[in-house]
Amino acid sequence: MSTLPLATRARRAAVPVALCAGLTALLAGCAEDPDEGTNGVGRLSATAIEEKAQSAADAAKAVRLSGTLVSKGGTYKLNMRLKEGGAAGSVTTKNSTFELLRVGEALFLKADAGFWAHEEQAGGSAGPADTEAADKLQDKYVVVPQGDPSYKQLRGFTDMDLLLDGLLGLHGKVEKGDRDRIGGVRTVKVKGGQEGEGGTLDVSLDGIPYPVQFARGGGAGVVVLSEWDKDFPLAEPAKAQTVDYGKQLPKTKAD
């Protein structure tokens, strides 16, 4: 049995090693492109992604907004469907949950007897008559007079433009973050300020680059935005389901 010279054996051994190295490089070059099959915004700068998302939101006619907002006035959990002509949904505070319906400028509030009894008690006017009134008001659409101090606060929860303008703005220098998937939607993150202290916006990589989620800076809440441009019916409740409170509504509190 003949033996190959050492140099020949070394050259032959180097061949499969080189092939493996070349194959590895080829496979690495063909690794999955994170932006393949997307709308392409993931390839843009952070500023451009934010602008695309803002433009998409501005052009939309409807959206569902759900999540938690924390402010000096307390903590609010929202689940609202919004569009230009009004909104419908619910607001939950520390003490209660109530529904809001706005059609044009007509605003209605619907809640159970416990809500009304608590609000009367908070206003210092609870009594047998108020308890009876609360029972009559429960699960009815109560008209919120436009001159009532509560009207502006409650209407704010139903104003699509106002909510989006207040929620989607990033503060500080923006930077592009990681890819993610929220509710089955592929997203790319844009962070404001150092480590997202100015807010973190997730923008859709699927279809139109709508905002998908916004985490407010400082732990001030996280909201999810979905059902963009999906219209929904809005109509004032039947008169049999509507009650005129007849006086200024109790001040609705979150704490």
Side-chain angles (χ1 to χ4, degrees), residues 163-185:
L163 280 175
L164 293 181
D165 288 346
L167 287 175
L168 298 182
L170 293 168
H171 302 284
K173 182 180 178 180
V174 294
E175 296 181 354
K176 186 160 60 174
D178 297 330
R179 305 295 200 282
D180 203 348
R181 186 178 290 270
I182 297 173
V185 179

Side-chain angles (χ1 to χ4, degrees), residues 58-81:
D58 289 344
K61 303 299 182 184
V63 66
R64 178 187 287 275
L65 187 154
S66 58
T68 301
L69 300 178
V70 181
S71 68
K72 293 180 180 179
T75 300
Y76 301 88
K77 184 176 180 180
L78 307 182
N79 185 6
M80 299 293 301
R81 294 195 71 181

Side-chain angles (χ1 to χ4, degrees), residues 42-230:
R43 298 187 178 96
L44 303 177
S45 67
T47 300
I49 295 172
E50 183 185 14
E51 290 174 351
K52 287 279 188 181
Q54 188 63 62
S55 296
D58 289 344
K61 303 299 182 184
V63 66
R64 178 187 287 275
L65 187 154
S66 58
T68 301
L69 300 178
V70 181
S71 68
K72 293 180 180 179
T75 300
Y76 301 88
K77 184 176 180 180
L78 307 182
N79 185 6
M80 299 293 301
R81 294 195 71 181
L82 308 134
K83 64 180 182 178
E84 293 180 337
S90 64
V91 179
T92 299
T93 70
K94 179 180 178 180
N95 298 310
S96 56
T97 296
F98 54 90
E99 296 180 27
L100 290 174
L101 170 65
R102 182 172 65 84
V103 183
E105 295 305 314
L107 181 62
F108 304 89
L109 186 154
K110 182 179 179 181
D112 60 18
F115 169 87
W116 293 110
H118 178 271
E119 295 304 314
E120 290 287 358
Q121 186 177 8
S125 60
D130 296 303
T131 301
E132 182 180 352
D135 290 337
K136 292 181 179 179
L137 292 172
Q138 75 167 339
D139 298 328
K140 296 286 187 179
Y141 287 96
V142 178
V143 178
V144 183
Q146 292 189 33
D148 190 295
S150 297
Y151 181 88
K152 183 177 180 180
Q153 178 193 20
L154 294 173
R155 190 189 186 287
F157 292 123
T158 70
D159 191 316
M160 178 176 170
D161 291 336
L162 182 65
L163 280 175
L164 293 181
D165 288 346
L167 287 175
L168 298 182
L170 293 168
H171 302 284
K173 182 180 178 180
V174 294
E175 296 181 354
K176 186 160 60 174
D178 297 330
R179 305 295 200 282
D180 203 348
R181 186 178 290 270
I182 297 173
V185 179
R186 292 175 294 177
T187 68
V188 60
K189 295 181 183 295
V190 179
K191 298 182 178 182
Q194 187 175 3
E195 298 182 357
E197 63 184 13
T200 300
L201 178 66
D202 274 87
V203 179
S204 176
L205 290 172
D206 299 324
I208 298 174
Y210 288 121
V212 175
Q213 178 175 281
F214 187 78
R216 304 177 77 196
V222 178
V223 293
V224 174
L225 302 112
S226 60
E227 300 180 32
W228 286 99
D229 252 346
K230 291 186 178 180

